[in-house]
Amino acid sequence: MATKWVIKDKKKAIYWPSEKMKKKANMSDASIYKKALNNPKKFWSEKALEALDWSKKWNKVYESKPPFFKWFLGGKLNASYNCIDRHVENGNGDKEAIIWIPEPTNEKPVVLTYKDLLEKVSRFANVLKSFGVKKGDRVGIYLPMVSEVQIALLACARIGAVHGVVFSAFSAESLNDRLNDANAKVLITANGYYRKGKLLDLKKKADQGAKGSPVKKVIVIKRGEVKTKMSKGRDYWFHELMEKADPECKPAEMNSESPLFILYTSGTTGKPKGVIHDTGGYLTYAYWTSKWIFDLHDDDVFWCTADVGWITGHTYACYGPLACGATQVIYEGAPNYPDWSRFWKIVEENQVSVFYTAPTAIRMFAKQGVEFVKKHNLNSLRVLGSVGEPIDKDAWMWYFNHIGNKRCPIVDTWWQTETGGIQISALPGIGPFIPTVAGRPFPGTNFVILDESRKEVKKNEGGYLIQKPPFAPGMLRGVWGNPKRYEKTYFSDYGNKLYFTSDGAKYFDKNNIRVTGRVDDTMKVAGHRLTTGELEDAIATYEHVSECAVVPEPDKIRGQVPVAFVVLKGVKESEKITEDIIKQVIEEIGPTAKPKQIIFVNELPKTRSGKIMRRILKKLVINEPIGNTMTLQNPESIADLKKKTNYKRK
Ligand code: WT7
């Protein structure tokens, strides 16, 4: 009989850690919340020293010039040293750092020990140096989950270069935008990657993306036998460079506040914004959230299924677990290759003990049926995590019953690209674990839920999730090249001393928070953040589009999917135009953004001042009463819109 890590409250559908879990957990003392909140600066100061090796201690722990703030001022460290070297120096060089599982089942996993990682990261850091990359320079990374992914990130960190990862399924256009915005001179990519049994070409897209960008050198990882065109003087094979490179590279001493990376995320306007994360604060935060929320111990095998293209992949498939000296599983491919039991096969074969995935994946697995799960013994699992969007009760219960076999706590982790690490979640040794309730603000972070008039809401009343200072050390430090946008997006709705998350929330009880979802023009498609603005921009560039508006439609598996309302000019609607528009969106953003429906209408509903009333379109899509149309400039548009949205009821 496998260990029970969680027990059920007799009266309610609430779970608590078992005695075994409390004993095992890195943090089981609930007084930590109060202690940390009484003096967050002292708490983080102690925690930063405990977590990391600093080459020089800071002289000031926190400084705030609203809306900007800094942590560990004057402190010096190197992130790659903290993720690798110190573990080797402590005698853990032979410990497995990364177990990389290729998608094709006839290929063998690649195992990298901490010692291997040290050598490879050092070599690659020297390669980057030989291309003239210096402290503070930006390096573009356009990589799928190949076995070299962490090497690429950590090599940048080793020499103090700032990496900017672009999700490999994003289009060449998206890549080009980001390379330009960050002014990246070097790009790291791969020639191809496996997805659902097929070897796809990536280099072609990388070439298109690099064209017209500041990129001067492209380093290409060879993943498979795809025909690859290499441009002389610009493109170099990774393996050839690595062979010749010096295997030793001294880590650069960086300021705690030096940027570690930029990661682009969707903003309210079409142009995505480059969220900046620092070195010392981010790494301290990544370390403690990994240690306490995923409860990482020496014997754990952690698997975070996120792609490195997202913040989850940065913090929990690279920096956090590696800073903790943990062993991680990284999987290259699709969850359903060769069939829907692949994930569970990986869990069993590698004895994964902590597993972290997204609600959209859980719903997909649930739909396929439990027979795929039942084929495998999942007794190694101890903690389960969820991230990306609110997890509904059905998905939570399915995850709990069928993956955790009623033995494992589920940590429903709320956070954002901007927060750098998890900010609201239960801790496995403290609990409680409640379906649809994310949990408690992480020790040393401070949240309130306010209404529009800035008054704190009462239990079960809806409001807005707000973070209070001192802001957690993992928080973003700015928007690349655009401080005004930083202020406007996060620090204007509630003044420059409160961070507005753009999420709605409720107090479940005095400690625990239920996050209800975005309150801005953002949608979460299979956990990926997209804004109506960027989709609308992509559609509007199609020559025959006069105007358009995009709204989310609820979807059983993907959470939400985009639906576009389009007004054409000069042409009649046709299947060809629908296809062209969809193609355009895929080319400009990527397949994640593919609209489910293109609805051609005569007019969009507008206010007297000419603003599109997306609220009405949202209601039409979910077939709910649209409410008051008094303020519309063109109320006669409604009849046509109603007729066109009838597809829902067919
Ligand atoms: C938005 C941030 C966090 C890394 C991956 C997504 C939503 C995320 C939860 C959760 C409810 C959640 C929020 C947030 N979200 N996790 N556990 N419960 N909502 O990062 O793309 O920056 O998106 O995802 O709406 O604001 P992101």
Side-chain angles (χ1 to χ4, degrees):
M1 179 63 193
T3 314
K4 251 185 157 341
W5 299 107
V6 74
I7 50 171
K8 190 173 181 296
D9 185 309
K10 286 198 185 66
K11 286 170 248 133
K12 297 183 230 147
I14 292 183
Y15 300 83
W16 295 94
S18 66
E19 285 308 315
K20 256 219 151 83
M21 178 60 102
K22 281 193 227 166
K23 230 194 225 144
K24 166 135 191 166
N26 288 325
M27 179 41 71
S28 307
D29 175 8
S31 72
I32 186 73
Y33 289 105
K34 219 172 144 197
K35 218 174 93 193
L37 208 57
N38 277 343
N39 194 344
K41 292 177 203 168
K42 182 163 168 261
F43 173 78
W44 285 116
S45 177
E46 285 168 12
K47 287 295 159 210
L49 271 188
E50 209 182 310
L52 305 178
D53 282 27
W54 299 77
S55 55
K56 183 175 168 284
K57 205 195 146 182
W58 52 92
N59 37 46
K60 192 171 181 194
V61 64
Y62 184 75
E63 184 185 274
S64 159
K65 288 186 186 138
F68 295 94
F69 56 92
K70 290 176 177 169
W71 280 95
F72 315 124
L73 293 89
K76 290 190 189 287
L77 77 167
N78 180 280
S80 108
Y81 177 85
N82 275 283
C83 289
I84 318 170
D85 307 47
R86 61 173 178 155
H87 306 312
V88 177
E89 289 164 16
N90 291 340
N92 288 321
D94 292 325
K95 183 172 175 178
E96 292 168 348
I98 288 162
I99 304 168
W100 180 81
I101 321 273
E103 191 193 72
T105 45
N106 59 350
E107 279 184 38
K108 285 212 166 56
V110 174
V111 177
L112 296 173
T113 63
Y114 276 94
K115 226 192 249 161
D116 297 335
L117 206 52
L118 178 59
E119 188 199 316
K120 290 191 195 287
V121 168
S122 301
R123 277 183 194 266
F124 195 46
N126 285 325
V127 168
L128 293 175
K129 269 189 180 168
S130 74
F131 282 162
V133 179
K134 296 198 175 59
K135 266 191 188 179
D137 287 351
R138 274 81 55 211
V139 173
I141 297 182
Y142 190 49
L143 284 178
M145 293 304 272
V146 289
S147 63
E148 294 86 354
V149 130
Q150 288 82 2
I151 297 170
L153 269 60
L154 292 164
C156 293
R158 196 163 190 89
I159 60 170
V162 180
H163 56 73
V165 180
V166 180
F167 182 40
S168 58
F170 275 168
S171 64
E173 288 243 11
S174 302
L175 174 63
N176 184 267
D177 280 352
R178 287 155 173 82
L179 292 173
N180 276 315
D181 190 78
N183 194 13
K185 296 198 179 58
V186 171
L187 174 66
I188 307 166
T189 188
N191 67 340
Y193 63 105
Y194 282 94
R195 202 71 196 170
K196 291 191 191 160
K198 274 199 229 111
L199 182 55
L200 306 177
D201 191 333
L202 185 66
K203 178 65 167 43
K204 232 191 240 145
K205 266 201 310 177
D207 284 341
Q208 284 165 16
K211 209 170 138 199
S213 84
V215 166
K216 297 277 175 309
K217 302 280 175 199
V218 179
I219 302 171
V220 188
I221 291 165
K222 189 170 186 185
R223 172 58 189 109
E225 299 304 323
V226 225
K227 232 177 125 206
T228 311
K229 209 179 115 220
M230 299 290 275
S231 233
K232 214 170 170 237
R234 191 198 69 173
D235 299 354
Y236 299 83
W237 286 109
F238 174 87
H239 58 276
E240 289 175 5
L241 298 168
M242 286 289 273
E243 226 172 87
K244 285 180 262 160
D246 187 340
E248 266 172 56
C249 174
K250 203 171 155 268
E253 194 179 49
M254 302 304 293
N255 291 324
S256 183
E257 280 290 330
S258 306
L260 180 62
F261 63 84
I262 308 173
L263 187 60
Y264 285 85
T265 186
S266 299
T268 33
T269 65
K271 201 169 138 351
K273 48 182 182 267
V275 166
I276 304 170
H277 283 289
D278 76 316
T279 306
Y282 170 80
L283 205 60
T284 301
Y285 201 76
Y287 178 97
W288 284 109
T289 48
S290 300
K291 193 115 190 151
W292 285 356
I293 297 168
F294 297 117
D295 195 36
L296 296 181
H297 288 73
D298 196 37
D299 57 349
D300 274 313
V301 178
F302 180 42
W303 181 17
C304 161
T305 67
D307 190 282
V308 70
W310 311 105
I311 188 72
T312 314
H314 284 61
T315 310
Y316 301 110
C318 185
Y319 290 108
L322 292 176
C324 291
T327 297
Q328 290 183 82
V329 162
I330 302 291
Y331 171 55
E332 172 181 37
N336 59 346
Y337 185 83
D339 65 45
W340 285 100
S341 61
R342 186 65 190 273
F343 267 28
W344 319 122
K345 186 169 186 268
I346 294 175
V347 168
E348 180 175 10
E349 283 177 356
N350 297 281
Q351 292 292 292
V352 171
S353 53
V354 183
F355 178 73
Y356 190 32
T357 198
T360 183
I362 297 162
R363 291 191 295 258
M364 224 154 53
F365 288 121
K367 191 178 155 198
Q368 302 308 318
V370 288
E371 59 275 19
F372 293 103
V373 183
K374 289 227 168 95
K375 281 194 214 157
H376 295 282
N377 181 336
L378 304 183
N379 278 345
S380 59
L381 291 172
R382 193 166 68 81
V383 177
L384 301 175
S386 168
V387 62
E389 57 180 310
I391 177 166
D392 52 280
K393 190 166 180 200
D394 286 351
W396 198 103
M397 290 315 303
W398 190 88
Y399 198 23
F400 181 80
N401 288 332
H402 299 295
I403 304 304
N405 202 3
K406 303 188 172 79
R407 298 180 303 109
C408 306
I410 293 178
V411 288
D412 173 3
T413 63
W414 177 91
W415 58 299
Q416 307 177 307
T417 304
E418 292 85 347
T419 68
I422 298 163
Q423 291 197 321
I424 299 178
S425 164
L427 297 181
I430 298 176
F433 316 103
I434 313 164
T436 77
V437 177
R440 255 176 116 149
F442 193 73
T445 69
N446 192 354
F447 280 86
V448 274
I449 305 174
L450 302 181
D451 66 14
E452 261 134 27
S453 62
R454 301 190 185 190
K455 248 192 29 233
E456 187 162 7
V457 300
K458 295 201 185 70
K459 189 179 148 181
N460 282 325
E461 274 177 16
Y464 302 102
L465 185 65
I466 308 284
Q467 191 181 166
K468 295 206 315 197
F471 301 110
M475 287 291 286
L476 80 164
R477 296 299 197 266
V479 170
W480 187 256
N482 203 341
K484 282 223 173 70
R485 196 161 173 199
Y486 165 81
E487 175 150 26
K488 183 160 183 290
T489 313
Y490 310 108
F491 294 97
S492 61
D493 295 67
Y494 286 83
N496 68 2
K497 290 188 193 72
L498 293 174
Y499 172 82
F500 177 51
T501 62
S502 297
D503 272 302
K506 289 174 180 175
Y507 292 113
F508 173 78
D509 56 28
K510 70 179 195 316
N511 294 327
N512 292 286
I513 290 175
R514 167 180 277 142
V515 180
T516 48
R518 300 286 297 200
V519 293
D520 58 359
D521 282 332
T522 296
M523 55 187 114
K524 301 270 1 210
V525 181
H528 302 154
R529 196 205 292 195
L530 288 167
T531 38
T532 50
E534 63 188 316
L535 274 145
E536 287 166 3
D537 282 1
I539 295 172
T541 46
Y542 183 65
E543 56 175 326
H544 299 301
V545 170
S546 153
E547 267 195 309
C548 69
V550 174
V551 293
E553 179 185 314
D555 182 88
K556 276 210 180 73
I557 303 291
R558 296 169 73 76
Q560 295 183 314
V561 287
V563 171
F565 290 83
V566 172
V567 180
L568 290 171
K569 59 180 173 203
V571 287
K572 284 232 172 67
E573 60 175 273
S574 67
E575 265 175 39
K576 164 94 178 33
I577 291 191
T578 303
E579 279 166 24
D580 283 354
I581 291 177
I582 290 178
K583 219 173 95 199
Q584 169 106 6
V585 173
I586 294 174
E587 261 168 36
E588 297 232 351
I589 307 174
T592 345
K594 187 176 160 194
K596 180 182 169 189
Q597 285 279 340
I598 306 283
I599 304 172
F600 297 103
V601 295
N602 300 334
E603 270 184 275
L604 295 170
K606 285 187 184 163
T607 61
R608 296 225 170 95
S609 61
K611 260 175 79 175
I612 298 169
M613 295 271 279
R614 290 194 186 75
R615 180 177 59 79
I616 290 181
L617 299 174
K618 272 188 201 165
K619 293 279 184 202
L620 284 168
V621 158
I622 55 174
N623 198 11
E624 271 184 12
I626 54 173
N628 192 345
T629 54
M630 289 268 287
T631 55
L632 282 184
Q633 178 199 95
N634 53 350
E636 68 287 354
S637 64
I638 298 297
D640 171 56
L641 285 165
K642 273 193 175 154
K643 204 171 86 201
K644 303 280 171 60
T645 42
N646 257 339
Y647 75 93
K648 296 281 298 165
R649 289 167 281 279
K650 268 183 212 149

